[in-house]
Amino acid sequence: MNQKPVINYPSQFAFLMGLMGVFVVLGSFLLPLVGSLVLKVPFMQVISQLNRPENANLSRLLNTMASFFAFLLPALVLARILSRQPFAHLGFHAHVSSKQLALVLALTFCSIMLSGALGQLNEWIPLPAKWYAKAKAMEDAYKATMMAMANMKSVTDYLLALLVLAAAPAVFEEVLFRGGFQQVFVGWTNHKWAGILITSILFSAIHFSYFGFLPRMALGVVLGLIFYYSKNIWLSILLHFMNNALVVTQLYVTSRQGKPIEKTMDENVPVWWGAIAVILLLMLFRSFRQESERVLTAKEQSIHSSPENILS
């Protein structure tokens, strides 16, 4: 029987959005201030200076700190209010099987296929000229920031990029969107698909990239299903990390070969690959759901058979 939440779901959503607003404002002031002090430039020039290749490491660090403020802290605060065990509430559990890990690996490659196909489809959607110009300007600004952070001249730079461009976003974003928003929306709508879809749309929209909207939304659905079936945030973090790490690795290899990384960021795959990816994802998720049910059942049995529960 489901227990009534301490705070109703609409209030949880409003509180989470409010916390995000507070921490974003705080981060948007503190982090440029840190950049200004480190670079010894005026406050208003920090952003342009961070896009310079020689400041790539500082840009990575400050962007990681910004994600920490905007994504991780709001979810942690809300989880602490809702539960005495905030990390457990967010889905941080140690129970995982080798089969789940193998399935997540397979799901990663299938989701990349689907995202590539949807990227091609996204480009075919017509937009009014003014909207297209604005979307293109936002996309160019996003790419400029990413290319500055993706400037990797050595193995050390590559490893640091994996940390700040792959691992940190995977943890911070999954905690907020799957551990935070998805649980709120699934509870609020009382429907798995509605909650996952709303969360995935929000997850994609917050990246402010029109041309990547459909691929990120599809990735959000895959991540949402992994978390919903397994109740384990580590597995969605793993897929998110591998997705990011493959992009970082591709950018590193491309830059070491002396090729322009802009083309790497724009690469898509034929749309028909998406149909194959969907079929494979459906088959993989059937196995993943069954394995996750087995793992969760074993976890419950382990809890109920522990000495403290037997003696209580």
Side-chain angles (χ1 to χ4, degrees), residues 211-243:
F211 297 99
F213 184 82
L214 290 180
R216 285 194 182 90
M217 188 179 74
L219 177 63
V221 171
V222 172
L223 292 166
L225 287 171
I226 287 174
F227 181 66
Y228 183 83
Y229 289 135
S230 69
K231 306 295 186 294
N232 191 333
I233 197 82
W234 286 118
L235 292 174
S236 56
I237 287 173
L238 176 61
L239 188 146
H240 198 147
F241 167 74
M242 289 193 296
N243 178 82

Side-chain angles (χ1 to χ4, degrees), residues 52-75:
R52 296 172 66 90
E54 61 268 26
N55 297 323
N57 286 337
L58 180 61
S59 178
R60 292 168 187 147
L61 176 62
L62 292 182
N63 274 276
T64 300
M65 292 173 62
S67 296
F68 175 82
F69 274 93
F71 297 153
L72 187 66
L73 288 182

Side-chain angles (χ1 to χ4, degrees), residues 5-28:
V6 178
I7 303 175
N8 64 47
Y9 291 113
S11 298
Q12 288 184 37
F13 170 71
F15 196 60
L16 193 51
M17 291 296 293
L19 285 169
M20 282 186 67
V22 169
F23 284 117
V24 165
V25 171
L26 183 62
S28 64

Side-chain angles (χ1 to χ4, degrees), residues 273-290:
W273 281 35
I276 297 174
V278 169
I279 295 172
L280 293 174
L281 285 168
L282 290 173
M283 295 170 60
L284 290 168
F285 266 120
R286 181 177 180 181
S287 295
F288 184 79
R289 180 179 61 184
Q290 293 172 348

